Amino acid sequence: MLITPRHTNKLSLFFLFCFTLLLTLFLSLPWVSATEKAKPQDWQINGIVAALDDGHDKVKEYAFTKLREYDLKNLKFVVKKPEDVAEKAANVFKDEKVDSGVRYGAAEALGNMGEAATKYVPDILNIIQDEQVDSGVRYGAAVALGNMGEAATKYLPDIANILKDEQVDSGVRSSAAVALGNMGEAAT
């Protein structure tokens, strides 16, 4: 078979198509697992903790957003006293003067701190049940309880009551359902 310019053009289009297909497939492979939490450096955690004391709510909100990127249950390997970080988060979370977005972030951070935040479970539950609190903050509190696992299991009846109460905001009720789901077998 004699290759003419017409055949060469078809062959180059065929190879270009194959190359593009392989390149697309290659680039779409999952190279990094999205479920893995980053391992922070000491200076990163120290900076984030310092930002929690900032006078501006947006700085605090950003700090809580950054804290969510890390596995806070293992924070003790980076920060000398994770209880201090949990206390700062709890203080922000309970402060009614603080913006609701910041309080939501603080609740989520508490939920990811494991044992360091267990003493704040009653406070989180009280905020969920307080109808005067912004529904976004209550939603974040319910998510936090679900992330706390074992620490929140003794409050299962309270969480179930929130789920059953039709007067409670639907977002808060749905997050209570998620919280029960995150508690695994303890919630059955």
Side-chain angles (χ1 to χ4, degrees):
M1 171 173 144
L2 182 63
I3 299 180
T4 63
R6 178 183 281 171
H7 288 100
T8 306
N9 192 19
K10 286 183 181 181
L11 284 174
S12 63
L13 285 177
F14 175 74
F15 285 118
L16 181 61
F17 172 76
C18 290
F19 176 74
T20 305
L21 182 65
L22 285 173
L23 185 61
T24 304
L25 178 65
F26 179 73
L27 293 176
S28 68
L29 291 175
W31 295 106
V32 177
S33 173
T35 60
E36 291 181 23
K37 294 272 186 168
K39 293 181 182 175
Q41 302 292 319
D42 289 347
W43 63 269
Q44 290 172 308
I45 292 299
N46 290 336
I48 293 169
V49 170
L52 295 177
D53 291 329
D54 194 274
H56 299 284
D57 283 348
K58 286 296 179 186
V59 174
K60 290 178 189 174
E61 185 175 7
Y62 185 71
F64 284 121
T65 300
K66 294 307 289 178
L67 277 178
R68 285 187 291 216
E69 294 177 10
Y70 303 117
D71 182 8
L72 300 179
K73 290 177 179 75
N74 294 324
L75 195 61
K76 61 187 167 199
F77 299 116
V78 178
V79 175
K80 292 181 182 176
K81 291 189 178 182
E83 292 81 13
D84 294 342
V85 178
E87 182 179 3
K88 287 182 184 201
N91 289 340
V92 169
F93 172 64
K94 294 186 284 184
D95 189 349
E96 295 175 6
K97 297 174 194 162
V98 175
D99 178 71
S100 62
V102 179
R103 292 177 72 195
Y104 173 88
E108 197 169 70
L110 277 173
N112 292 333
M113 287 189 181
E115 288 191 32
T118 56
K119 74 179 190 179
Y120 302 106
V121 171
D123 296 325
I124 293 170
L125 188 61
N126 287 338
I127 287 179
I128 293 172
Q129 294 171 334
D130 187 350
E131 294 178 9
Q132 302 302 315
V133 175
D134 179 80
S135 62
V137 175
R138 293 170 69 202
Y139 175 86
V143 171
L145 274 182
N147 290 340
M148 292 181 123
E150 292 280 326
T153 54
K154 73 179 188 180
Y155 298 98
L156 282 171
D158 297 310
I159 298 169
N161 287 338
I162 292 167
L163 182 62
K164 294 175 191 175
D165 187 354
E166 293 182 13
Q167 301 299 318
V168 175
D169 179 82
S170 63
V172 175
R173 288 176 47 218
S174 70
S175 63
V178 170
L180 290 174
N182 288 345
M183 290 182 193
E185 290 184 27
T188 56

